[in-house]
């Protein structure tokens, strides 16, 4: 009886895929660094990115569903018993703004030339978003993102994309059980279809200048959130450093905030954006206490546009 049970267990283990590759349903090409969130009874329990070749080793944690997403594709939910060696995502039609520019002067805007207040680590799965106003008042070419790093030991793979702004009212429960609220804004839908992956390299120093010209991106007339998502840290042998020491995690420079344009989403399984400074201000107002120095900060980031 025990041998039979062992045989059945091994048979089940062998039948269940140990790795899966995420592919484009039309081109059949691999989708690099797709996001896969594993859920149990509707709640996230784990999350990972696929490799550069679209491959993911399935976790041993308990889950019943895998939710797969990538920019430019329709999201897909797959039951655990339906996960195969290859899974396909269907490309999603996104209407992008068309822009014709005969000649334009490169102009740096945003908050790049600000004095450093402190540093902030950016671990795998961390997404940071900074809203950039468009001073031109019309759609303009977005040519580059400039970012100041505080430190970088490992090559850091990041994804860049743009999001619309969403205004909303954040509600919360006070200590006495009463409901409070405050106005805020966060990133909404992505307005870029491309899966823009780039590398921040130690040998390039702390001034990270990410060239975006080949993607023909547009900064809308009303501005947009510039989002940077941390995919992973890689050593000199191109091996993924899954859990780097805290002191070795890439860190960005942040400066004293001049507005509430900074939002974060911490971790792959975290589904919600938080307007960091607006949230902190509300907390200190509620507590009636004075915030410590350099509590309200924003990443030292700018973009180059053509005007």
């Amino acid at each position: 009886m025990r041998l039979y049970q062992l045989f059945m267990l091994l048979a089940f283990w062998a039948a269940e895929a140990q790795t899966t590759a995420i592919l484009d349903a039309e081109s059949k090409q691999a989708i690099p660094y797709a996001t896969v969130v594993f859920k149990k009874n509707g709640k996230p329990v784990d999350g990972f990115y696929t490799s550069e070749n679209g491959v993911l080793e399935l976790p041993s944690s308990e889950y019943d569903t895998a939710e797969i997403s990538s920019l430019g594709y329709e999201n897909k939910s797959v039951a655990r018993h339906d996960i195969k060696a290859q899974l396909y995502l269907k490309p999603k039609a996104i209407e992008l703004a068309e822009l014709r520019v005969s000649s334009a002067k490169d102009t740096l805007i945003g908050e790049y030339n600000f004095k450093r207040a402190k540093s902030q680590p950016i671990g795998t799965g961390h997404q940071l978003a900074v809203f950039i106003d468009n001073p031109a008042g019309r759609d303009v070419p977005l040519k580059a993102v400039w970012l100041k790093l505080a430190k970088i030991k490992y090559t850091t793979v990041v994804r860049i994309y743009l999001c619309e702004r969403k205004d909303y009212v954040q509600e919360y429960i006070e200590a006495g059980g009463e409901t409070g609220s405050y106005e805020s804004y966060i990133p909404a839908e992505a307005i870029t279809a491309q899966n823009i992956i780039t590398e921040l390299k130690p040998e390039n120093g702390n001034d990270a200048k990410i060239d975006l010209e080949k993607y023909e991106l547009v900064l809308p007339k009303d501005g947009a959130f510039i989002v940077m998502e941390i995919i992973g840290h890689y050593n000199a042998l191109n091996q993924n450093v899954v859990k780097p020491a805290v002191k070795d995690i890439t860190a960005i420079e942040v400066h004293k905030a001049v507005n509430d344009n900074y939002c974060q989403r911490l971790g792959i399984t975290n589904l919600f954006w938080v307007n960091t400074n607006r949230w902190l201000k509300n907390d200190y107002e509620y507590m009636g206490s004075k915030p410590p120095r350099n509590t309200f900060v924003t990443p030292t980031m700018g973009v180059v546009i053509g005007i």
Side-chain angles (χ1 to χ4, degrees):
M1 184 64 179
R2 289 181 179 177
L3 287 175
Y4 174 76
Q5 290 175 334
L6 178 61
F7 172 78
M8 292 302 294
L9 180 62
L10 291 173
F12 173 79
W13 180 83
E16 193 173 47
Q18 301 304 300
T19 62
T20 187
I22 310 302
L23 308 177
D24 184 300
E26 295 181 359
S27 69
K28 304 300 186 288
Q29 296 297 309
I31 301 175
Y33 307 115
T35 304
V36 185
V37 175
F38 298 93
K39 293 185 173 182
K40 178 74 172 179
N41 298 325
K43 295 182 179 180
V45 294
D46 233 335
F48 302 92
Y49 296 108
T50 62
S51 70
E52 184 179 5
N53 299 316
V55 176
L56 176 70
E57 184 175 339
L58 297 173
S60 58
S61 54
E62 286 192 24
Y63 64 92
D64 52 36
T65 308
E67 294 195 354
I68 309 164
S69 61
S70 185
L71 284 174
Y73 294 89
E74 295 181 2
N75 294 347
K76 185 169 188 173
S77 180
V78 185
R80 179 169 184 162
H81 56 77
D82 288 331
I83 295 178
K84 309 300 182 185
Q86 294 179 333
L87 296 173
Y88 298 90
L89 294 186
K90 183 179 178 181
K92 178 169 60 176
I94 298 179
E95 187 175 344
L96 302 176
E98 293 186 5
L99 190 65
R100 294 182 180 179
V101 180
S102 57
S103 62
K105 179 181 178 182
D106 287 356
T107 304
L108 176 64
I109 62 173
E111 300 181 24
Y112 184 74
N113 294 312
F114 279 67
K115 183 179 179 181
R116 171 178 169 175
K118 60 182 180 180
S119 64
Q120 177 182 318
I122 47 174
T124 299
H126 188 161
Q127 295 187 57
L128 56 92
V130 177
F131 188 82
I132 302 291
D133 284 306
N134 184 346
R138 67 179 190 279
D139 293 352
V140 293
L142 175 59
K143 297 187 173 184
V145 172
W146 288 13
L147 179 75
K148 286 189 178 179
L149 304 175
K151 63 176 180 178
I152 179 168
K153 177 178 179 179
Y154 298 116
T155 294
T156 307
V157 177
V158 302
R159 186 186 345 259
I160 302 291
Y161 63 100
L162 277 66
C163 285
E164 296 176 337
R165 165 177 166 157
K166 175 184 178 182
D167 295 295
Y168 78 112
V169 176
Q170 176 67 59
E171 296 186 346
Y172 61 93
I173 306 297
E174 297 179 349
E178 297 180 357
T179 300
S181 65
Y182 60 90
E183 294 182 355
S184 187
Y185 64 95
I186 57 174
E189 294 295 320
I191 54 177
T192 41
Q194 302 100 317
N195 189 21
I196 303 173
I197 303 295
T198 190
E199 295 180 345
L200 308 177
K201 292 180 173 292
E203 57 266 31
N204 292 338
N206 288 2
D207 287 323
K209 298 180 179 180
I210 303 169
D211 185 4
L212 300 174
E213 284 205 69
K214 68 178 180 180
Y215 300 103
E216 299 183 346
L217 299 180
V218 172
L219 181 66
K221 64 179 182 179
D222 296 325
F225 274 103
I226 310 299
V227 184
M228 186 171 75
E229 180 179 6
I230 314 307
I231 302 298
H233 296 70
Y234 292 80
N235 61 23
L237 299 177
N238 200 33
Q239 297 169 329
N240 188 3
V241 184
V242 178
K243 293 183 178 181
V246 174
K247 64 180 180 63
D248 294 331
I249 295 175
T250 300
I252 58 172
E253 284 191 15
V254 293
H255 60 270
K256 185 178 180 180
V258 295
N259 52 44
D260 298 333
N261 64 341
Y262 178 35
C263 297
Q264 298 184 80
R265 189 154 65 178
L266 302 175
I268 299 175
T269 59
N270 192 325
L271 306 178
F272 303 101
W273 286 101
V274 173
N275 187 309
T276 306
N277 292 322
R278 191 67 194 87
W279 170 60
L280 287 171
K281 286 178 182 178
N282 182 75
D283 271 8
Y284 280 103
E285 288 172 4
Y286 172 73
M287 293 184 294
S289 57
K290 183 179 179 180
R293 184 170 175 265
N294 293 331
T295 294
F296 309 119
V297 295
T298 300
T300 304
M301 175 191 289
V303 301
V304 177
I305 60 173
I307 296 181

